[in-house]
Amino acid sequence: MCGITGILANDIDPQVINLMTDRLIHRGPDARGIYINERKTLALGHSRLSIIDLSEKANQPMSTPDGRYTIVFNGEIYNFKSIRKELINIDQALNFNSNSDTETILLAYKA
């Protein structure tokens, strides 16, 4: 089970989200990632337990190519392949960078 951390504040100290995420490494020892927005008002951390897509392309936090949306996610979307096909049918130009259910959820939310 992955570990997820987050802070919503006026001025985030990056050390805090790093410490928080480090404390959850036992929840997901396969990868670790941090996202802090430009204004330093939102920080997300993720310690990953790889299950579906084992590649680095599926690491989190994961953002859309335009950077508008970012996700940290723990769970498994069992029908993500059919959702992915549906999204591609809607937008033929849609480009997936991984085989992860997280990216599918992120791009479905954007759509």
Side-chain angles (χ1 to χ4, degrees):
M1 178 180 295
C2 300
I4 296 172
T5 59
I7 302 171
L8 183 62
N10 288 330
D11 187 26
I12 294 171
D13 179 353
Q15 289 183 345
V16 175
I17 193 71
N18 276 295
L19 289 171
M20 290 169 61
T21 305
D22 286 347
R23 295 290 300 223
L24 295 180
I25 198 69
H26 64 282
R27 301 279 304 272
D30 298 323
R32 177 190 178 286
I34 300 291
Y35 166 83
I36 301 173
N37 70 351
E38 290 178 15
R39 296 176 298 178
K40 294 186 179 180
T41 56
L42 173 67
L44 302 171
H46 189 267
S47 59
R48 180 175 178 216
L49 178 62
S50 302
I51 296 175
I52 292 180
D53 182 341
L54 307 181
S55 75
E56 289 182 11
K57 291 181 178 182
N59 286 348
Q60 298 179 44
M62 184 181 289
S63 298
T64 55
D66 62 7
R68 182 169 181 192
Y69 302 102
T70 300
I71 187 173
V72 288
F73 174 70
N74 178 46
E76 188 171 347
I77 305 302
Y78 296 108
N79 65 335
F80 81 95
K81 289 180 182 178
S82 63
I83 295 170
R84 181 180 291 234
K85 286 179 186 175
E86 193 174 326
L87 289 170
I88 291 170
N89 285 336
I90 293 168
D91 182 357
Q92 299 292 322
L94 192 59
N95 185 22
F96 285 88
N97 294 316
S98 74
N99 293 311
S100 73
D101 54 352
T102 303
E103 184 179 26
T104 302
I105 277 246
L106 179 61
L107 294 179
Y109 181 84
K110 181 180 178 187

